[in-house]
Amino acid sequence: TIITNVTTCPIKSTDSVDALLRKANKLRSTASTAANDRSSRSHSIFVIHLNGVNKITGEESKGILNLVDLAGSERINMSQVVGERLRETQNINRSLSCLGDVINALGSPDAAKRHIPFRNSKLTYLLQYSLMGNSKTLMFVNISACFDNINENLNSLRFASKVNSTKMVTRKVDEGHKVYK
């Protein structure tokens, strides 16, 4: 997946991680809609490549940590968006729907043999190795305390429940010379 406007920075301390996260948060696209005065207009993905060395044994280990803040789904009739905001909403909703399709496929009884539609969106394509094999995935769902948002909250909680009940299946994925389990 090609991601535009990506910045790669070496990190040497937790302070530099904090500074980068603050900077990324300031650059996050938000806008006002009828449903939310600071609506996220994009997903935010922060990828950390970790390299560690045991100084005693010399053993090396590598890993990737993806911190993903998904923009929330919006009902167009509630947000009353038009023009560019409408296209953003449609793209956000489409990528979240694709993520739901991937979760459905991963949770199906024949998932080990079934096609998992990772390529249906850039989001799921980017996250495919975080959603299968030896990876661990943790999801937080934010909901509103406002009674007016009860339907959106219920939809978010249903999605979270579906994700929570999904049992990931170990699959081998051949990517050139690499095999992921």
Side-chain angles (χ1 to χ4, degrees), residues 33-66:
T33 70
N36 185 347
D37 62 342
R38 291 180 315 179
S39 177
S40 298
R41 307 315 303 160
S42 64
H43 305 306
S44 176
I45 302 173
F46 194 80
V47 179
I48 303 173
H49 292 263
L50 302 165
N51 298 312
V53 178
N54 182 321
K55 291 182 180 180
I56 297 171
T57 65
E59 183 180 7
E60 295 182 24
S61 62
K62 294 181 180 188
I64 297 174
L65 176 63
N66 291 313

Side-chain angles (χ1 to χ4, degrees), residues 83-102:
E84 182 63 26
R85 299 289 171 255
L86 175 61
R87 282 186 291 285
E88 290 168 348
T89 299
Q90 291 168 330
N91 288 333
I92 290 165
N93 289 347
R94 190 175 306 114
S95 69
L96 293 172
S97 178
C98 289
L99 180 58
D101 292 344
V102 165

Side-chain angles (χ1 to χ4, degrees), residues 76-88:
I76 294 169
N77 63 342
M78 294 275 297
S79 62
Q80 299 175 1
V81 291
V82 294
E84 182 63 26
R85 299 289 171 255
L86 175 61
R87 282 186 291 285
E88 290 168 348

